[in-house]
Amino acid sequence: MEARDHELKKELAATLQARGELGAEYESVLIESFLEKVEQRLDTTLDRRVRRQLAEQQTAGARGARPAQPETFGERHALGIVSLILAVPLSAIGVVNAGIEGLVVAWLGIVGVNAFQAARGGGLFRRRDERASSDWKD
């Protein structure tokens, strides 16, 4: 990747040098030319990545394995994040209305929901067909 970066830097330097020699009236043409070269590089890189990903999916499909679906941090921990955000107002409501007992009940509810979600595999954002197949196993 560094070789490409070096080539792109050389192209930029050449464009800037040509702008200095030709003057400002050719600036838009030079910029368009440089951006076209950048776009071609991006298209080439994107095409290569898409071809690689398709080949990996086809290979995994030929082996009978499901392609791995990467999870982001938010997908994995969404319920925990939302629970912590809602914990403050729920705690306040519990304390105002029922004192320390209300606080305990609020936190038991928060912990209970998160424990239940963790115990069932944290599949909050799984696809519907994956959820149906895992929930109805014999």
Side-chain angles (χ1 to χ4, degrees):
M1 196 74 159
E2 291 179 15
R4 291 187 176 188
D5 291 342
H6 183 67
E7 290 175 20
L8 201 56
K9 287 179 183 178
K10 284 174 42 178
E11 290 287 339
L12 179 60
T15 302
L16 292 174
Q17 184 179 4
R19 191 230 181 243
E21 293 173 3
L22 297 174
E25 60 268 4
Y26 292 102
E27 184 174 326
S28 64
V29 174
L30 292 170
I31 290 173
E32 285 180 26
S33 172
F34 177 74
L35 289 177
E36 196 172 298
K37 291 174 186 176
V38 170
E39 185 178 356
Q40 288 173 353
R41 295 259 169 91
L42 288 173
D43 287 343
T44 303
T45 303
L46 182 61
D47 287 343
R48 189 178 316 117
R49 287 181 184 172
V50 167
R51 276 189 260 120
R52 184 182 316 133
Q53 189 173 21
L54 286 174
E56 289 173 0
Q57 287 176 354
Q58 289 174 349
T59 304
R63 292 180 185 159
R66 281 192 175 167
Q69 303 249 337
E71 287 184 344
T72 63
F73 178 82
E75 289 175 340
R76 227 177 331 188
H77 303 293
L79 185 65
I81 292 168
V82 170
S83 295
L84 289 175
I85 291 170
L86 293 176
V88 173
L90 289 174
S91 298
I93 292 169
V95 167
V96 167
N97 290 322
I100 193 72
E101 294 86 10
L103 179 66
V104 170
V105 168
W107 274 98
L108 285 175
I110 292 167
V111 170
V113 167
N114 281 288
F116 176 76
Q117 184 68 14
R120 72 180 272 262
L124 186 64
F125 290 102
R126 286 187 295 174
R127 291 194 339 232
R128 183 176 304 192
D129 59 338
E130 290 176 359
R131 235 182 281 144
S133 66
S134 66
D135 289 346
W136 298 101
K137 287 183 181 176
D138 294 334

